[in-house]
Amino acid sequence: MLLRTPWARPEGWALAAVAGVVLQLLQPTLWQMSFYTWCGAGAALGWLACLFLAWRRRSWLWWVAAWLAWACMAFACTGLQALQQQAQRLAPGLEGVDLQVHAVVDAMPQRTAQGWRLRLAVLHAQRPRPEGGLVDVALPQLLEVMWYAPRTAQAGAQTSPSNAALPAVRAGEHWQWTLRLKAPHGARNPHGFDWELWLWEQGVGATGYVRTGPGLPQPECLAAAGMARPVEQLRQQVRDAIVARADAAPPGDAHARALGVVAALVTGDQRAITLEDWEVFRRTGVAHLVSISGLHITMFAWLATAAMGWLWRRSARLCLWWPAPQAALWAGVLLAASYALFSGWGLPAQRTVGMLAVVAWLRSGGWQWPWHAVWAVTLAVLALWDPWALCQAGFWLSFVAVGVLLASGPAPHTSGLWGSVRQLLREQTLVVVALSPLSLLFFGQISLAGMLANLLAIPWITLVVTPLAMLGVLWPALWELAAGAMQVLLWLLQLMASWPWASLARPQAPWWAALAAIAGGVLLAMPWPRAWRSLALPLLWPALCWQAPRPAPGMFDLLALDVGQGSAILLRTARHSLLFDAGPAWQGGDAGARAVLPLLQAWGERLDVLLLSHSDMDHVGGVDSVLAAQPGVALWGAGAADFARTRQRPWQPCVAGEQWEWDGVLWQVLHPLVGGASQGNPSSCVLRVQAANGATALLTGDIEAPQEAALLRSGQRLTADVLLAPHHGSRTSSSLDFVAAVAPRTVVVQAGYRNRFGHPAVQVVQRYADLGVAVVATPQCGAAYWSAVAASAVVCERQRYPHYWSADSAP
């Protein structure tokens, strides 16, 4: 009788548990273990007491109290999980120290253009004693390290990594390395990727690189793989066999690119997919299909269930021993788990297998729960199993899609080929309509070509490409057929991506508008009367028409992005925006694509000017990505000459004395005295921006002490409220006289975490401190925001949105 009351329904308990998990994820810092322990124990006793009182007194208030106690138990369990994960962080005293580490290659190594990327399971570690010898140290269980290839000389005095100089590394092997490690640390920018959260969820407690050179022990393979990590060994063999076929083709060959997608579908290794193909997948909304996603595993489970059910029914004895529906259901779950294991056992795959197992358990137990109960219970189980999945966009996209399909109910009875086509069209339309608001919330865009692209890609990849790719493990010739089928799809997707209306970009709305839009999308997908569904349009309107707030006329704001060892600053007035430098580039990416473009997309910014202070790669590495996304932007500055020449477009150098006004804000170029192409740091453009209220920012590029002295001699006005530290806080810049003349309240240093140059220099930081200047460095601050309205306050992204998994929250 206790469980028959409406207040005891499973979805109530499930949502209470999810609420407890979400509450814990919102904690900026973790509490003591004793608190979570006592909280969990007290909540458990309170839950039992509330259940007893609810049964005796038949009052809904006691059910609400029981739900609260249940949520507290989920909160405490998640907190204890987080503390256990935090304990795996690298101790601060071991950062930057050469460590002798004996470790097992825990996962399939990833070969990049720079060398090997390795996931290591630590067995034993030692560090040098000051007085000589070695002493044992405790390291996190899992490490993510790079083994960089030595650089070889090329024509024109250029050097490039030579992977051929590195030995082969296989999963399961035991190696002895000299490693230099650091705690997980990533860039923190508005609307940027949270690298620290990703490492936290993966269980990685430190990152670093292999140290080689004179006086250091050479890396040594201590034991072959043997039977250790057999699945990872098999994955590596399959991946290498597919990639070898792609490497044998000419560079850029379409068939070779298709083989890269095949390797991703079979083994989960996406590094063979080109950046151009990723852009095509993104614009057409099918990126989820070329990774081992929940859709792949669910479709694989569905096919395996159907096949096993057909085979099981061939035997009357087997049907008597175990009913065919249940046998087929659990066989599908086991085969799906096997596929997920072989493809790398990533967290999305784990969550999908867990969801399938929960559904199979409910069906096997004979519980005839409504769709919302099954959906809510599955959500709660996965939230308790992997709490930080709730912070991932892919998790919510998958769950909302499944919920919408369940809630919409079965399609009207149809049969034959046309009936199947109608069913597919109906389901695809429902998913696209329901997920479009979520796509706006997470990515700031909707793929308008996505419905047609997914309509073609989902059955083609699921029923043709993936089966051929998986059967290629047994007969490798089938990989060529799979690549041929993928090549046809790539051609069609490239055609769709070229359509001008392939995607619709909108600024990302605030949470209240996003929630309203999500409710509107779900309402449109429900099988309710048309009059009810029409109420969704007012809910969608705020998100579709949202415009990010801008500075008032006469005011401007500044955002110094966290781009590592480099520089990128966005300045905005009421109707204009200027990007001062575009950040660094690295192998396989750049700050323009990683940090600048997501921000511009989320804020709905169209740049008027891209000003490149000079041509050093840490300032211009992201230019190509920015120009590809916003080709109409004007190119200014000494660093723009080479880009303008290769693209045959005009550019404007920086020359001292130039000035202009945007929306009541004065912009002045103070340096260099003579314009022209970049001649390195001395030719850096210096820009002074002054609001109508007198609040001022000074951006200095990489000028050094001689250029600072020249600015002092020029007699130009240098005072500013906020100063971008010259040359990232190098000891060759920020001279005492220059800093005293600028008299800033705050100096912002854009530098990389534990960078090899030692920026900002200790003596420079002390110089600013002696003059009463507050120093804000992006490694500790993340992106730094400053507004002319509140000229004395710099807002740090890490302090504005604190998370306990961030580097600044480590114990």
Side-chain angles (χ1 to χ4, degrees):
M1 292 296 294
L2 183 64
L3 295 178
R4 293 180 182 178
T5 175
W7 295 98
R9 288 175 178 172
E11 55 266 41
W13 300 112
L15 294 179
V18 173
V21 172
V22 170
L23 184 64
Q24 197 283 326
L25 294 178
L26 294 176
Q27 283 192 279
T29 57
L30 292 176
W31 297 332
Q32 296 294 324
M33 179 178 291
S34 58
F35 177 87
Y36 293 114
T37 303
W38 285 108
C39 176
L45 293 175
W47 178 70
L48 292 173
C50 289
L51 283 182
F52 176 76
L53 292 171
W55 172 68
R56 290 294 302 271
R57 301 192 178 183
R58 310 292 183 183
S59 172
W60 63 270
L61 289 175
W62 291 112
W63 284 111
V64 172
W67 285 352
L68 291 176
W70 189 256
C72 288
M73 284 192 284
F75 173 87
C77 289
T78 306
L80 291 172
Q81 282 182 264
L83 283 174
Q84 184 179 14
Q85 182 66 29
Q86 193 180 64
Q88 286 297 313
R89 290 270 182 133
L90 181 72
L94 297 179
E95 286 192 298
V97 178
D98 288 341
L99 303 171
Q100 300 299 314
V101 180
H102 175 201
V104 180
V105 181
D106 189 61
M108 177 177 66
Q110 307 286 338
R111 184 180 286 277
T112 71
Q114 294 177 299
W116 286 111
R117 182 178 295 277
L118 305 170
R119 177 72 58 85
L120 306 180
V122 176
L123 299 178
H124 185 241
Q126 295 178 309
R127 65 170 297 175
R129 293 177 181 267
E131 63 274 14
L134 298 172
V135 61
D136 291 349
V137 294
L139 292 184
Q141 294 178 357
L142 287 180
L143 311 176
E144 186 94 8
V145 303
M146 278 295 302
W147 187 356
Y148 292 104
R151 305 186 70 87
T152 57
Q154 303 290 331
Q158 298 291 324
T159 63
S160 64
S162 175
N163 279 322
L166 290 179
V169 180
R170 306 203 66 81
E173 290 180 339
H174 288 236
W175 280 78
Q176 182 80 23
W177 279 291
T178 301
L179 301 181
R180 182 165 289 185
L181 303 174
K182 62 181 180 180
H185 193 284
R188 280 289 301 277
N189 292 297
H191 309 286
F193 179 71
D194 194 338
W195 173 249
E196 294 167 0
L197 173 61
W198 186 86
L199 290 174
W200 175 282
E201 196 176 11
Q202 297 289 321
V204 175
T207 63
Y209 60 95
V210 177
R211 289 264 290 157
T212 58
L216 292 172
Q218 292 301 306
E220 180 184 2
C221 182
L222 302 178
M227 294 303 295
R229 276 68 171 185
V231 175
E232 292 298 319
Q233 291 184 51
L234 180 58
R235 289 182 65 223
Q236 186 173 357
Q237 293 175 7
V238 171
R239 189 272 313 271
D240 292 347
I242 300 175
V243 171
R245 291 172 178 265
D247 291 342
D253 180 74
H255 192 72
R257 291 163 57 186
L259 281 168
V261 179
V262 170
L265 292 173
V266 176
T267 66
D269 183 4
Q270 302 173 7
R271 297 182 186 275
I273 301 178
T274 64
L275 294 177
E276 293 80 4
D277 288 340
W278 273 122
E279 179 63 19
V280 169
F281 298 146
R282 184 188 64 81
R283 283 183 60 83
T284 54
V286 301
H288 62 102
L289 295 176
V290 292
S291 58
I292 305 300
S293 64
L295 176 64
H296 281 104
I297 297 171
T298 302
M299 291 299 293
F300 188 87
W302 177 77
L303 291 173
T305 299
M308 182 57 69
W310 183 84
L311 291 173
W312 201 269
R313 291 185 182 93
R314 304 280 75 80
S315 171
R317 179 174 297 180
L318 288 176
C319 290
L320 290 173
W321 176 65
W322 197 7
Q326 291 192 18
L329 187 63
W330 283 106
V333 173
L334 291 176
L335 290 174
S338 301
Y339 175 44
L341 185 65
F342 184 77
S343 63
W345 198 237
L347 290 172
Q350 294 179 33
R351 293 194 292 263
T352 303
V353 172
M355 180 182 68
L356 293 172
V358 171
V359 172
W361 173 68
L362 291 174
R363 290 189 177 180
S364 298
W367 289 294
Q368 300 298 320
W369 286 359
W371 72 267
H372 47 82
V374 176
W375 187 84
V377 169
T378 305
L379 174 63
V381 170
L382 296 186
L384 291 169
W385 179 17
D386 180 14
W388 303 282
L390 301 183
C391 302
Q392 305 292 348
F395 177 85
W396 291 109
L397 289 170
S398 298
F399 248 86
V400 171
V402 172
V404 166
L405 290 176
L406 291 172
S408 62
H413 178 70
T414 55
S415 60
L417 178 60
W418 176 240
S420 300
V421 172
R422 287 185 60 188
Q423 172 74 358
L424 182 61
L425 285 171
R426 174 182 178 273
E427 292 180 353
Q428 187 64 43
T429 303
L430 289 175
V431 170
V432 169
V433 169
L435 295 189
S436 292
L438 272 177
S439 297
L440 273 180
L441 171 63
F442 291 129
F443 311 119
Q445 67 177 12
I446 301 173
S447 177
L448 299 180
M451 180 175 175
L452 179 58
N454 277 279
L455 188 63
L456 296 173
I458 288 176
W460 190 252
I461 290 181
T462 303
L463 303 177
V464 178
V465 179
T466 301
L468 287 174
M470 294 303 297
L471 290 173
V473 177
L474 304 176
W475 187 15
L478 293 178
W479 286 329
E480 299 294 338
L481 291 178
M486 192 66 217
Q487 193 173 342
V488 173
L489 181 61
L490 275 172
W491 179 81
L492 290 172
L493 293 176
Q494 287 169 351
L495 181 63
M496 295 180 192
S498 65
W499 296 342
W501 45 268
S503 62
L504 171 66
R506 299 297 304 160
Q508 287 184 250
W511 65 268
W512 59 267
L515 288 179
I518 293 169
V522 172
L523 184 59
L524 281 175
M526 292 294 100
W528 294 341
R530 186 172 300 177
W532 290 17
R533 286 186 287 169
S534 64
L535 297 176
L537 298 179
L539 296 175
L540 294 170
W541 187 257
L544 291 174
C545 299
W546 173 259
Q547 294 294 330
R550 301 189 65 87
M555 297 290 110
F556 75 97
D557 60 13
L558 174 153
L559 182 68
L561 292 167
D562 184 5
V563 293
Q565 188 63 27
S567 181
I569 304 100
L570 178 66
L571 300 107
R572 303 186 306 159
T573 65
R575 291 177 296 177
H576 295 83
S577 58
L578 179 147
L579 182 65
F580 189 92
D581 288 334
W586 52 86
Q587 188 65 42
D590 60 71
R594 186 70 61 84
V596 176
L597 290 183
L599 176 69
L600 297 180
Q601 173 67 56
W603 286 3
E605 288 292 333
R606 301 300 301 179
L607 293 175
D608 295 284
V609 173
L610 173 57
L611 195 158
L612 303 175
S613 62
H614 62 299
S615 61
D616 282 4
M617 189 52 64
D618 58 332
H619 292 251
V620 302
V623 170
D624 287 331
S625 295
V626 175
L627 291 180
Q630 301 203 14
V633 64
L635 280 175
W636 291 5
D642 292 337
F643 294 98
R645 188 181 305 114
T646 57
R647 289 167 176 77
Q648 297 182 349
R649 57 181 295 172
W651 70 287
Q652 179 178 329
C654 277
V655 181
E658 291 182 341
Q659 67 178 39
W660 68 95
E661 185 175 304
W662 279 345
D663 307 319
V665 177
L666 180 63
W667 304 68
Q668 297 172 298
V669 177
L670 307 184
H671 185 271
L673 298 178
V674 179
S678 175
Q679 303 296 322
N681 292 346
S683 64
S684 292
C685 181
V686 176
L687 181 67
R688 187 173 185 268
V689 188
Q690 181 173 334
N693 65 354
T696 307
L698 186 64
L699 284 64
T700 57
D702 279 357
I703 63 170
E704 300 184 355
Q707 291 76 52
E708 295 173 355
L711 283 171
L712 292 173
R713 292 192 301 269
S714 71
Q716 301 178 95
R717 187 175 182 183
L718 300 177
T719 55
D721 295 286
V722 63
L723 169 68
L724 181 71
H727 199 187
H728 315 286
S730 165
R731 58 185 176 84
T732 60
S733 301
S734 299
S735 58
L736 180 61
D737 291 341
F738 177 77
V739 176
V742 177
R745 297 179 181 179
T746 306
V747 61
V748 177
V749 182
Q750 288 185 295
Y753 178 68
R754 299 189 63 86
N755 64 85
R756 61 191 178 94
F757 307 102
H759 296 160
V762 175
Q763 57 267 43
V764 169
V765 173
Q766 186 60 49
R767 187 176 304 149
Y768 282 114
D770 291 342
L771 294 174
V773 181
V775 178
V776 174
T778 53
Q780 292 74 40
C781 173
Y785 176 82
W786 178 85
S787 172
V789 176
S792 62
V794 170
V795 180
C796 290
E797 182 73 10
R798 289 185 180 273
Q799 280 69 58
R800 187 180 183 187
Y801 300 108
H803 303 301
Y804 60 75
W805 54 78
S806 295
D808 51 307
S809 296

